[in-house]
């Protein structure tokens, strides 16, 4: 069982990670848009072979094809991630403005564009925004962890970490405390690459793999190996539900039990 001193050390480590950003957080290659799987060591992290915000993109081959990033908008470093077909989450301290274009590319690289028309702040560093139109079903709205998920059971799990350069990295869940989840790099160095997050990575999402889907667990607030709001926390999740309802109550977030 974790002692009070170890909890304090974890929180202090998150505070240190914050310094770079607070001004602004089964093995094998999967190809062809299949189910998500962890990559081999040093597998290329790129999501796109070539990315264009104003037209269709070319997706990279390899393990990242199994990671469905169709619900993540990368046309601005202030990254936005779908939680319903019409709602996105961003870092509150690094949000796009009203009217900003929000571009998504599906798993085949096909582009659509929406724009932000409303905002509702949620708990901590979470901003929920409303799009002018919902996206089609081939663009992924990510589930959140159920609040019944045993937080202790996901400590040490691999997490998929995205960044402003449209790359995916593999870290480990280091701890969850008071609505914040923190990550650490995997010293065994067995899957993909790790990264120290820097200014401009704020708001990029982190995922856990649950069965054949990605579950949104965090959007980056802090630097280093990364930490930010834990989307399975009851307070954080309740505030997101309220923000979604305020902006357009005809949509609901979905949750998944992560085991």
């Amino acid at each position: 069982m974790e002692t009070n001193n170890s909890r304090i050390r974890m929180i202090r480590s998150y505070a240190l990670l914050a310094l770079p950003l607070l001004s602004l957080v089964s093995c094998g290659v999967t190809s062809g848009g299949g189910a998500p799987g962890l990559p081999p060591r040093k597998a290329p992290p790129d999501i796109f072979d070539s990315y264009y915000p104003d037209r269709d993109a070319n997706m990279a081959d390899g393990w990242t094809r199994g990671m469905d990033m169709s619900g993540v908008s990368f046309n601005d470093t202030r990254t936005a991630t779908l939680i319903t077909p019409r709602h996105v989450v961003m870092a509150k301290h690094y949000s796009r403005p009203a009217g900003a274009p929000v571009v998504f590319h599906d798993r085949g690289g096909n582009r659509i564009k929406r724009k932000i028309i409303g905002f509702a702040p949620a708990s901590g560093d979470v901003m929920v925004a409303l799009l002018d139109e919902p996206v089609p079903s081939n663009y992924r709205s990510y589930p959140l962890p159920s609040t019944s998920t045993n937080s202790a059971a996901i400590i040490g799990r691999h997490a998929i970490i995205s960044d402003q350069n449209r790359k995916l990295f593999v870290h480990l869940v280091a701890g969850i405390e008071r609505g914040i989840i923190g990550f650490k790099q995997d010293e065994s160095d067995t899957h993909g690459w790790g990264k120290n997050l820097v200014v401009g990575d704020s708001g990029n999402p982190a995922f856990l793999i649950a069965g054949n889907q990605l579950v949104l667990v965090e959007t980056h607030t802090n630097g280093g190996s990364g930490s930010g709001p834990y989307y399975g926390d009851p307070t954080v999740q309740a505030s997101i539900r309220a923000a979604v309802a305020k902006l357009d109550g005809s949509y609901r977030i979905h949750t998944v039990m992560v085991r």
Side-chain angles (χ1 to χ4, degrees):
M1 185 172 179
E2 189 178 53
T3 65
N4 287 335
N5 285 338
S6 65
R7 290 194 189 99
I8 291 168
R9 285 195 297 272
M10 184 173 71
I11 295 299
R12 285 176 177 169
S13 71
Y14 294 166
L16 289 173
L17 291 177
L19 292 177
L21 282 185
L22 283 176
S23 300
L24 358 155
V25 199
S26 129
C27 231
V29 175
T30 304
S31 63
L38 295 175
R41 179 178 181 271
K42 305 305 183 189
D46 299 276
I47 299 168
F48 301 93
D49 267 342
S50 51
Y51 176 85
Y52 309 100
D54 58 347
R55 59 188 188 275
D56 294 346
N58 298 315
M59 310 304 294
D61 289 326
W63 76 278
T64 60
R65 289 294 295 273
M67 303 292 164
D68 186 351
M69 293 291 113
S70 63
V72 184
S73 176
F74 289 110
N75 66 297
D76 190 307
T77 58
R78 295 167 292 187
T79 305
T81 303
L82 288 167
I83 55 170
T84 83
R86 205 178 169 203
H87 297 79
V88 294
V89 288
M90 300 177 287
K92 189 182 294 179
H93 77 273
Y94 199 49
S95 296
R96 303 187 197 191
V102 183
V103 173
F104 301 97
H105 289 82
D106 72 8
R107 301 186 84 174
N110 301 299
R111 172 190 178 272
I112 59 166
K113 184 176 79 170
R114 298 292 186 262
K115 66 180 179 180
I116 292 173
I117 61 169
F119 299 92
S123 178
D125 193 28
V126 181
M127 179 64 75
V128 180
L130 183 69
L131 305 180
D132 57 337
E133 296 180 65
V135 299
S137 60
N138 53 317
Y139 296 87
R140 180 66 168 158
S141 300
Y142 301 101
L144 311 185
S146 167
T147 56
S148 299
T149 294
N150 180 0
S151 296
I154 65 175
I155 306 303
R157 286 274 296 268
H158 287 97
I160 305 301
I161 307 293
S162 64
D163 79 344
Q164 63 186 303
N165 298 314
R166 310 177 193 99
K167 299 177 187 292
L168 298 178
F169 303 90
V170 182
H171 290 187
L172 298 173
V173 177
I176 299 172
E177 183 87 17
R178 299 180 184 178
I180 299 292
I181 185 170
F183 305 99
K184 63 181 179 181
Q185 295 197 32
D186 185 357
E187 294 181 1
S188 68
D189 196 27
T190 54
H191 296 293
W193 294 83
K195 179 190 176 177
N196 284 323
L197 301 178
V198 298
V199 172
D201 289 331
S202 290
N204 272 272
F207 302 93
L208 294 180
I209 299 173
N212 64 354
Q213 65 181 325
L214 297 174
V215 179
L216 178 65
V217 292
E218 180 257 12
T219 45
H220 311 328
T221 296
N222 302 324
S225 296
S227 66
Y230 173 49
Y231 283 88
D233 177 78
T235 299
V236 173
Q237 196 170 112
S239 71
I240 292 171
R241 289 183 188 275
V244 166
K246 179 180 179 180
L247 291 168
D248 184 343
S250 65
Y251 292 89
R252 299 285 186 274
I253 64 170
H254 297 283
T255 62
V256 169
M257 179 74 75
V258 181
R259 303 181 190 278

